[in-house]
Amino acid sequence: MLGDVRVRSQVGFEPERRGSHPYLGVDFRTLHSRAESAGSIPARRIRRLFSFQRHLLSSRLLRGAPHLNTLHILDEDYCGQAKCMLEKVGSWNFDIFLFDRLTNGNSLVFLTFHLLNQYGLIELFQLDMVKVRRFLVLVQEDYHNQNPYHNAVHAADVTQAMHCYLREPKLAQSLTSFDILLGLLAAATHDLDHPGVNQPFLIKTNHYLAALYRNTSVLENHHWRSAVGLLRETDLFSHLPAEDSLGIERQLGSLILATDISRQNEYLSRFRTHLDENSLCLGQSSHRHFSLQMALKCADICNPCRPWELSKQWSEKVTEEFFHQGDIEKKHKLEISPLCDSEANTIASVQIGFMTYVVEPLFAEWARFSDTRLSQTMLGHLGLNKASWSAMEPEASGSSEEGESEPTRATEEPSSRALSQGSQES
């Protein structure tokens, strides 16, 4: 852990500390945790060490080699089921929750390593497998699994979705191996060290990250810099020329910063203009990079486009995180952030607003860009899921009294504005 602090300080980081609001002493690392003992920090160090050792021992399993050690970290039946699931990692119905259970909470490491290997990126870029594994373990450990939503399972889910998009014909025929490497790394690290609260919360509590990044894409900048810190700590690209390593870091940042939902309209307008003018030329590196940005944006908020049994779980988790933030704000007599008041919002109302004003416009344009069976499947799930949430809303089953529709729309509009400010996925 001391190494983390040392390395991160070299790239503009300070150790995580409590929020600086004079009336709010919140430790963001334990914001969503239940009561923890005083020994939780040493326990984290031990878990980190064991996690690295565990994945070193299991590396032969992922390569398909026989075991040389009688110590089995996972039950063989579970390992077998996990390997079977990886054979269908390109399926849109991939159940990341089941996969996470089968890998003993290591879905991000197993899935990302598998994809890097499947695409031939480890061999092509001559990456040291021990460094790759250490990097992925540290990435997974730096997600806060106490967060109901912004945790390593979410990162694994986004990485799996990104893989699905990378396989779409329009991208598969034009992306380079370097593009694919960047896309997978960005997906795996796009919410790294997320504190479980949104940007407005950090700003109004005068958190040092808000000051560091001047209240602009605060979380996204932090995710990017955290990823850079781990890349340097593990020397993953140390064998490459310094200029190439810096280029990877910059482009990784460009992808992660694109997930700032407060800039949604900016990216969507640019995407729509390209499609209207048929001016997106994937033979140009800048246009390929833009397509990767849009793919990552879609992957980041694709939960409403998953089958209902998966989508519903994600909706419940993200709303739980919102409402917990609202409870903290109430407790400390702060203004409650939009969508975070459990007394004024429901899971259904939050999701309907999010789908209507954020998800549908984005995925409609993505379907224009990539008119495939997957795109139609996603739009189909989106429509069905929205209908399911609408059926749960009291207004949906109530009467059609005169004048009722206008107030309903009035209550939805603030939600859309709040979402554009980054309160849903920041």
Side-chain angles (χ1 to χ4, degrees), residues 232-284:
R232 295 186 181 187
E233 179 180 347
T234 57
D235 292 327
L236 186 60
F237 297 120
S238 61
H239 61 292
L240 300 178
E243 183 178 347
D244 292 345
S245 296
L246 291 174
I248 290 173
E249 293 174 2
R250 284 194 297 269
Q251 293 196 55
L252 184 67
S254 177
L255 291 175
I256 294 175
L257 288 173
T259 63
D260 182 354
I261 208 164
S262 68
R263 300 179 62 191
Q264 181 83 352
N265 289 335
E266 170 191 338
Y267 281 93
L268 188 58
S269 296
R270 182 180 166 194
F271 194 36
R272 186 178 289 120
T273 298
H274 273 303
L275 296 175
D276 289 343
E277 299 176 354
N278 195 27
S279 58
L280 201 57
C281 177
L282 298 183
Q284 298 180 22

Side-chain angles (χ1 to χ4, degrees), residues 205-217:
T205 57
N206 299 319
H207 192 264
Y208 81 102
L209 287 176
L212 180 63
Y213 297 116
R214 301 180 181 181
N215 298 343
T216 304
S217 298

Side-chain angles (χ1 to χ4, degrees), residues 317-377:
K317 290 176 182 294
V318 73
T319 309
E320 178 186 352
E321 196 167 293
F322 290 167
F323 289 171
H324 189 79
Q325 175 180 321
D327 291 343
I328 295 290
E329 291 167 334
K330 288 179 187 177
K331 178 181 177 181
H332 295 280
K333 295 179 171 49
L334 297 170
E335 180 183 357
I336 302 176
S337 299
L339 310 182
C340 293
D341 189 346
S342 59
E343 296 178 3
N345 298 280
T346 64
I347 299 178
S349 66
V350 170
Q351 290 305 305
I352 292 169
F354 181 53
M355 291 178 182
T356 301
Y357 299 105
V358 180
V359 182
E360 286 179 346
L362 176 62
F363 279 86
E365 298 305 321
W366 180 262
R368 290 178 61 199
F369 168 70
S370 179
D371 186 9
T372 63
R373 181 177 178 179
L374 174 59
S375 293
Q376 296 309 313
T377 297

Side-chain angles (χ1 to χ4, degrees), residues 142-157:
D142 274 1
Y143 276 95
H144 302 189
N145 285 335
Q146 300 96 332
N147 292 347
Y149 182 83
H150 289 103
N151 52 43
V153 183
H154 166 65
D157 187 62

Side-chain angles (χ1 to χ4, degrees), residues 106-119:
N106 295 295
S107 56
L108 182 57
V109 173
F110 274 77
L111 187 139
T112 309
F113 185 90
H114 173 80
L115 292 177
L116 291 173
N117 196 43
Q118 179 174 297
Y119 280 107

Side-chain angles (χ1 to χ4, degrees), residues 41 56 62 86 98 146 156 228-229 257-258 263 270 274 301 310 365 391 409 411 414 425:
I41 295 178
L56 284 176
L62 289 180
L86 285 175
L98 174 59
Q146 300 96 332
V228 169
L257 288 173
R263 300 179 62 191
R270 182 180 166 194
H274 273 303
I301 62 172
L310 300 176
E365 298 305 321
R409 281 195 292 272
T411 58
E425 298 287 347

